[in-house]
Amino acid sequence: MNGSLKSNYGIWEKLTKIDRRLIYLFLFLVVLIPLIYPFRLAPRAMTPVLKLFNHIDTIPKDKCLVISVDYTPDTEPELHPMTIALLRHAFSRKIKVGILCISLLGLGLAQDAISIVTNEFNSKALTRNDSVIYGRDYVFWGWQTPVLVPILGMGENISKVFPVDYYGNKTDTLEIMKTIKNYNDVGILVSISGSAIPFYYITYAQTQFGVRIGVGSTAVQAADFYPYINSGQVTGMMSGMKGAAEYEQLVEERCKIYARRKATDAMAAQTAAHLWIMITIIIGNIGYFILRRRK
Amino acid sequence: MSFNLSLKLISSIAFFIASAWALTPPESVTAQDNPNDAGQKILIKWTLSMDDSILDGYRVLRRKENETEAEVVGFVGRGRNYYVDENAIDTIKYAYQIVAVYDTITSPSTWSNYTKSSPQWIHTQRIDVIIFTLVFTFLILYFINQARKGQELFIRKIAGLLAVEEAVGRATEMGKPILYVPGLTGINDVATIAAMNILGEVAKKVALYDSQLIVPNTDPIVYTVAQQIVKEAYTQMGRPDAFKADSVYFVTDSQFAYAAAVDGIMTREKPATNFFMGYFYAEALILAETGAATGAIQIAGTDSVMQLPFFVVACDYTLMGEELYAASAYLSREPLLLGGLVGQDAGKVLIVGLLIILTIIGVITNLPVLKIF
Amino acid sequence: MKVRLPLILVLITGILGALPFIIPHRIAQNFDNEFRNSVLRIIAAFSLVLGVGSIVRHHIYKIQRRKENWEYSWILLVSLVITSIIGLFGGIEGNGSLPTRIGDFYFDIQTIYMHAAIPLGATMFAMLSFFMASAAYRAFRARNFEATLLLLAAFIVMLGSVPLSTYVLPKLPDFAEWILTVPNTAAKRGMGFGIALGSLATSLKIILGIERGWLGGTK
């Protein structure tokens, strides 16, 4: 009798002390399997994402969307789909786009996003008017540092901050730059970053020049931006991979753009990982409760 | 397609109207020295043109006193009614003219008054900060003075700091080293300075118990300071010979390479106690979880709010936010430092009190019932 | 003097560092810019020499004493020397005096950075998810009322962060967002408030020479 009680204790105690390597192994598997055999879980857009989408959707024709690609390769899985989704949205609505980088490592990522989306649009285009053309529909200004130089400078004159674009063209000679002179011509500026750069845009570009600011942030950092959404200093936000997936969903539903949705595809893996963590917590608590009751 | 056509049509009509009835110029142009700056800046303000909504923007012209020739100094978009000329010379007086621009059509305002730029010695918008800093300094000095006179000052117990002695003792008993990670920021960060203060106290206990201390650093300046602090601590405890210069060293300034190196130290050397004090980023949980896996007692302290939850779950004790700054006073029990701590709390009480009073005033003055009168 | 001189230096530089915040005059601003941009950069550059010296000394010591895993110290020292030579003489993208390619094999500093440093950094970052899982398993136990509340909040936010919740409990993501927007923000603001005052008080104590821990506790 005593022995069986002890062995029962053993089972429950084991539940409270699962080997961490076992937790790692299962986490690895639950992430891997949905990536190999994908199934789609389309998320519902939350208010901050919806606000961002609606604002961009209603940008007047004489204003543009500016995307500040401020992330580095380590946060690429979370943030890169945001840039791609924003570009798809803007090009489908014929909104002019300006792209810049404040983080040097963002240059390659911005170029990658531009290539992906322009190829998607141009491969389906039948006329020149349907195509996405550099210098007419979008401009890639390149990189400028230190952080306050482009943020403050663009309030006065964007061409002065970026006299030459990423490809070496004189910015002033581009057709698009006739309509984009400074923040007055910007419908919204979306800063996508895993660092503190969006805070600079909020503090300097929004406060001093009144330009609308959108944010794309990593999930772990998103909580820092809620006070700014509450105060209206940030118009809308995409937080983490789920935020990107929500935006992808809106672009597909409302703009009828059907293309690969990397963030949405990863949602199944993310959901599985979350569920696995919750299961381990429940298992640990079951063991803990039974042990406590018996003691 | 039709939208583009109608846009072109509207634009042509606007151009026709603008050419037929000339643009209304901006009015009431004034120029004044830009306040609170280092000089060489003049602030120009104007009333927007009646045709602002169709304009390209406003061109800003200036001319020197006793000269007739004007030069263009800037251009701002429509809807904006001010401009800061940042290229003025302090000794010269300037007047400004604002020209409304629509395509090739322009409409100039009258010239503004003459003014010159000058630097200021006090930033008038920051006087409140100066007052607050002075009050706060006074409070700290007052309580330090009280402490100096021998007045007993109460400080609540901080579990993480009470455990320091036990943690060092445990490492000695086990014959294993103590790992001290002083955060990832430079010496200019208050969190790093606080980490250095705690390191001094920890090093003294390590010297006393004759344990081994490992301090890997991510910043070369912090490394030199840390080395000096540990050396001084050993000397103060009368054991300069026991100090090993090799125990405090620089690893790398790359965030994740540093995390990998510290993880390596934890898995190879198996320290009995890990201290994580200072400012941390995403590597916080990587370090703390590896430490937990090796079975070490872990004491963390950070003012990085985002990383606090990670330390709370993975460490035995966590100093949260300002507790990190209070640690050196707590550990050393020096009256002067304790006095500073009480002064800091008094400042906090003052601010919270002010916030409550002002909130009440704000709510009361906006009550709908008051609007009846 | 050994103690007094650093304290005097801290007092002077501390006050000089704070004054440009309230004095916009160009004399104060120029001094501040010069101090921050030139003096501090020079100090930082020299400190890097100290840092490299430290790491080299540490690993040579390990090799000499044949300490545990001393073989890895060789890898570090050889990598340090080779990378430094490539960086100093090979240019950023292989446009320096030292050739940095053999046929199609490139080994310029940009390639090393893109194909070694970044993937290694990303790997360490990715390990975070594994550590989060094991930490959550160990920490979230309903030991008392507060812990239960924390556990529930964590569950709601975790469930609200995945699309599945939209199908099962449509209102849950909104509640998760409310937790993040209201109670979480309130707590963060409170913490921030204390941290700001604490750091101000610590700075004042250092400038006034009351806090001397950074001097090694010298009285």
Side-chain angles (χ1 to χ4, degrees):
Chain A
M1 183 71 190
N2 215 2
S4 73
L5 191 73
K6 204 176 176 185
S7 72
N8 277 346
Y9 265 131
I11 294 166
W12 303 120
E13 200 162 352
K14 271 181 189 164
L15 287 186
T16 62
K17 288 174 184 167
I18 300 173
D19 192 330
R20 69 184 69 224
R21 284 167 296 185
L22 210 60
I23 295 174
Y24 297 162
L25 178 71
F26 274 93
L27 182 65
F28 176 69
L29 291 175
V30 299
V31 171
L32 191 70
I33 293 166
L35 291 175
I36 298 171
Y37 304 103
F39 56 95
R40 186 163 273 189
L41 282 170
R44 175 170 67 86
M46 300 303 294
T47 319
V49 177
L50 212 52
K51 275 184 176 174
L52 183 66
F53 183 90
N54 288 340
H55 188 83
I56 294 175
D57 216 42
T58 51
I59 287 179
K61 288 285 169 188
D62 60 336
K63 298 214 174 198
C64 71
L65 162 73
V66 172
I67 305 173
S68 190
V69 178
D70 302 323
Y71 50 93
T72 47
D74 43 326
T75 49
E76 189 225 320
E78 270 188 291
L79 303 176
H80 205 45
M82 295 180 187
T83 313
I84 293 172
L86 282 175
L87 286 172
R88 281 179 187 150
H89 185 194
F91 291 153
S92 71
R93 291 281 191 252
K94 295 274 175 203
I95 296 165
K96 290 186 170 55
V97 183
I99 302 146
L100 74 140
C101 299
I102 289 178
S103 155
L104 183 59
L105 292 175
L107 280 173
L109 294 162
Q111 178 54 44
D112 181 62
I114 292 168
S115 304
I116 291 171
V117 182
T118 51
N119 285 341
E120 278 170 16
F121 278 78
N122 291 340
S123 63
K124 289 175 196 161
L126 298 172
T127 64
R128 187 177 153 78
N129 206 26
D130 296 339
S131 308
V132 178
I133 296 169
Y134 186 76
R136 185 192 73 179
D137 302 312
Y138 72 100
V139 53
F140 183 15
W141 292 309
W143 172 70
Q144 184 58 266
T145 195
V147 62
L148 286 184
V149 169
I151 291 178
L152 292 175
M154 287 197 299
E156 298 294 328
N157 192 328
I158 296 174
S159 299
K160 224 164 131 183
V161 179
F162 299 97
V164 178
D165 71 5
Y166 180 68
Y167 307 105
N169 307 305
K170 280 196 170 174
T171 322
D172 270 339
T173 61
L174 300 171
E175 186 192 331
I176 189 172
M177 293 309 289
K178 285 179 188 148
T179 51
I180 310 176
K181 286 180 178 126
N182 51 35
Y183 284 143
N184 285 328
D185 306 310
V186 176
I188 189 167
L189 186 151
V190 185
S191 172
I192 304 174
S193 171
S195 70
I197 292 172
F199 289 113
Y200 286 98
Y201 276 112
I202 296 164
T203 313
Y204 295 98
Q206 205 285 322
T207 313
Q208 289 195 24
F209 298 96
V211 64
R212 294 273 191 166
I213 300 291
V215 172
S217 87
T218 49
V220 71
Q221 208 188 2
D224 281 354
F225 293 104
Y226 280 106
Y228 298 99
I229 296 177
N230 291 346
S231 68
Q233 286 168 285
V234 169
T235 302
M237 177 174 74
M238 292 177 273
S239 65
M241 204 175 272
K242 185 173 171 259
E246 288 168 13
Y247 207 95
E248 286 177 343
Q249 177 75 12
L250 289 170
V251 171
E252 187 172 297
E253 269 175 17
R254 301 199 189 169
C255 306
K256 308 292 173 211
I257 301 290
Y258 301 99
R260 188 174 173 199
R261 292 161 51 182
K262 269 183 136 179
T264 313
D265 292 344
M267 275 296 100
Q270 199 194 40
T271 305
H274 276 229
L275 290 178
W276 168 240
I277 293 173
M278 289 166 81
I279 289 166
T280 59
I281 294 172
I282 292 169
I283 291 171
N285 275 288
I286 290 172
Y288 173 76
F289 267 110
I290 291 174
L291 275 180
R292 199 169 71 169
R293 185 166 288 181
R294 293 197 178 175
K295 277 174 187 169
Chain B
M1 194 71 184
S2 62
F3 186 82
N4 277 347
L5 259 176
S6 42
L7 252 186
K8 275 182 188 166
L9 193 69
I10 291 166
S11 163
S12 313
I13 293 168
F15 189 81
F16 175 76
I17 293 169
S19 353
W21 289 285
L23 295 171
T24 321
E27 288 172 358
S28 316
V29 183
T30 56
Q32 63 179 92
D33 174 33
N34 192 49
N36 302 318
D37 65 11
Q40 298 175 338
K41 286 181 187 170
I42 292 175
L43 172 66
I44 307 118
K45 289 180 178 172
W46 61 90
T47 309
L48 295 176
S49 158
M50 305 278 271
D51 303 311
D52 182 72
S53 58
I54 62 159
L55 292 181
D56 289 338
Y58 299 93
R59 194 176 293 144
V60 183
L61 276 76
R62 80 171 179 196
R63 74 175 181 215
K64 293 175 189 168
E65 198 178 28
N66 304 325
E67 280 185 18
T68 49
E69 207 172 305
E71 58 175 332
V72 178
V73 287
F75 185 90
V76 292
R78 63 175 169 273
R80 189 147 155 205
N81 63 350
Y82 70 94
Y83 178 79
V84 179
D85 178 11
E86 297 188 354
N87 295 308
I89 297 167
D90 285 352
T91 48
I92 299 172
K93 281 189 171 179
Y94 298 96
Y96 292 84
Q97 185 182 49
I98 307 300
V99 183
V101 180
Y102 173 70
D103 207 41
T104 52
I105 306 161
T106 58
S107 176
S109 70
T110 52
W111 283 91
S112 74
N113 55 308
Y114 279 100
T115 193
K116 65 177 178 181
S117 56
S118 63
Q120 280 77 47
W121 283 102
I122 287 286
H123 201 300
T124 49
Q125 285 179 341
R126 290 178 180 168
I127 285 176
D128 48 353
V129 180
I130 302 169
I131 293 170
F132 172 72
T133 311
L134 289 175
V135 171
F136 197 57
T137 312
F138 168 77
L139 280 172
I140 287 177
L141 293 177
Y142 171 77
F143 281 102
I144 285 171
N145 199 34
Q146 293 297 101
R148 197 176 268 158
K149 283 178 185 167
Q151 192 184 321
E152 276 287 310
L153 298 171
F154 169 75
I155 294 185
R156 71 175 166 87
K157 284 181 180 171
I158 300 176
L161 295 171
L162 282 174
V164 170
E165 188 103 19
E166 176 206 333
V168 177
R170 181 175 177 258
T172 317
E173 276 172 25
M174 293 170 79
K176 286 183 174 178
I178 291 160
L179 176 72
Y180 193 98
V181 182
L184 268 87
T185 44
I187 198 73
N188 53 337
D189 190 0
V190 180
T192 310
I193 294 179
M196 290 294 109
N197 292 334
I198 301 167
L199 174 63
E201 297 302 323
V202 170
K204 277 183 203 165
K205 289 185 173 39
V206 169
L208 188 71
Y209 288 107
D210 199 16
S211 289
Q212 195 197 335
L213 182 68
I214 306 172
V215 190
N217 291 280
T218 184
D219 184 283
I221 298 179
V222 176
Y223 145 69
T224 38
V225 176
Q227 195 173 48
Q228 192 58 30
I229 282 173
V230 175
K231 196 175 166 185
E232 284 281 350
Y234 272 80
T235 312
Q236 268 191 38
M237 300 314 285
R239 308 225 37 224
D241 51 307
F243 169 69
K244 288 178 193 152
D246 192 49
S247 60
V248 185
Y249 56 93
F250 170 77
V251 181
T252 170
D253 63 355
S254 161
Q255 180 190 12
F256 289 114
Y258 179 74
V262 175
D263 278 0
I265 294 168
M266 285 193 264
T267 43
R268 281 192 304 272
E269 310 271 345
K270 299 249 174 347
T273 306
N274 296 332
F275 286 96
F276 304 110
M277 299 285 174
Y279 198 90
F280 292 86
Y281 299 94
E283 73 293 332
L285 188 64
I286 297 175
L287 299 175
E289 260 302 280
T290 312
T294 61
I297 281 192
Q298 304 203 98
I299 304 176
T302 187
D303 57 357
S304 165
V305 181
M306 219 147 73
Q307 304 305 331
L308 269 174
F310 297 134
F311 277 140
V312 170
V313 296
C315 295
D316 299 282
Y317 302 98
T318 308
L319 307 178
M320 292 196 253
E322 56 188 313
E323 284 181 347
L324 174 71
Y325 311 139
S328 94
Y330 192 94
L331 287 171
S332 67
R333 293 275 156 188
E334 273 187 45
L336 291 185
L337 291 177
L338 291 177
L341 213 57
V342 178
Q344 181 183 325
D345 279 350
K348 215 186 297 176
V349 169
L350 183 78
I351 291 177
V352 172
L354 270 174
L355 275 176
I356 292 171
I357 292 167
L358 292 174
T359 308
I360 291 170
I361 293 172
V363 171
I364 290 175
T365 50
N366 283 303
L367 279 179
V369 69
L370 291 176
K371 286 173 187 154
I372 300 169
F373 303 105
Chain C
M1 200 58 195
K2 195 183 159 199
V3 178
R4 200 165 284 171
L5 187 68
L7 287 178
I8 293 168
L9 269 175
V10 163
L11 178 71
I12 293 169
T13 50
I15 291 171
L16 288 179
L19 284 180
F21 182 76
I22 48 172
I23 303 175
H25 199 282
R26 78 174 71 91
I27 293 174
Q29 296 301 323
N30 289 350
F31 176 82
D32 188 50
N33 284 339
E34 193 60 30
F35 191 72
R36 280 177 206 279
N37 293 333
S38 306
V39 179
L40 291 185
R41 275 187 197 181
I42 293 168
I43 293 172
F46 275 102
S47 73
L48 202 63
V49 178
L50 283 172
V52 174
S54 162
I55 197 164
V56 170
R57 200 171 53 236
H58 179 75
H59 287 276
I60 287 177
Y61 176 80
K62 267 182 104 170
I63 293 167
Q64 279 173 344
R65 300 282 167 105
R66 292 283 190 275
K67 286 185 112 181
E68 202 183 349
N69 301 313
W70 62 274
E71 302 89 342
Y72 297 128
S73 294
W74 271 118
I75 297 175
L76 183 133
L77 290 174
V78 171
S79 308
L80 179 71
V81 172
I82 292 176
T83 318
S84 307
I85 291 171
I86 292 171
L88 286 170
F89 305 108
I92 293 172
E93 284 178 327
N95 42 8
S97 53
L98 187 81
T100 51
R101 62 178 283 197
I102 301 167
D104 284 342
F105 178 68
Y106 292 82
F107 53 92
D108 55 80
I109 209 79
Q110 180 73 4
T111 309
I112 292 173
Y113 184 72
M114 293 299 288
H115 299 283
I118 288 177
L120 286 171
T123 307
M124 285 301 289
F125 187 56
M127 280 167 65
L128 204 55
S129 59
F130 293 97
F131 290 147
M132 267 183 197
S134 68
Y137 163 71
R138 278 188 294 107
F140 286 129
R141 295 279 153 85
R143 289 190 178 91
N144 47 40
F145 176 70
E146 288 93 340
T148 313
L149 210 60
L150 187 74
L151 181 66
L152 285 174
F155 258 64
I156 292 164
V157 173
M158 269 197 277
L159 261 179
S161 307
V162 291
L164 193 70
S165 60
T166 317
Y167 300 104
V168 186
L169 293 160
K171 287 280 169 200
L172 196 77
D174 297 312
F175 188 45
E177 196 180 305
W178 179 83
I179 290 175
L180 282 172
T181 323
V182 183
N184 168 66
T185 305
K188 275 175 94 85
R189 280 183 175 159
M191 290 289 296
F193 195 61
I195 288 168
L197 280 173
S199 85
L200 180 59
T202 310
S203 308
L204 269 173
K205 283 191 276 182
I206 292 167
I207 291 172
L208 297 174
I210 298 160
E211 176 78 75
R212 298 178 183 189
W214 56 276
L215 278 171
T218 314
K219 292 195 174 94

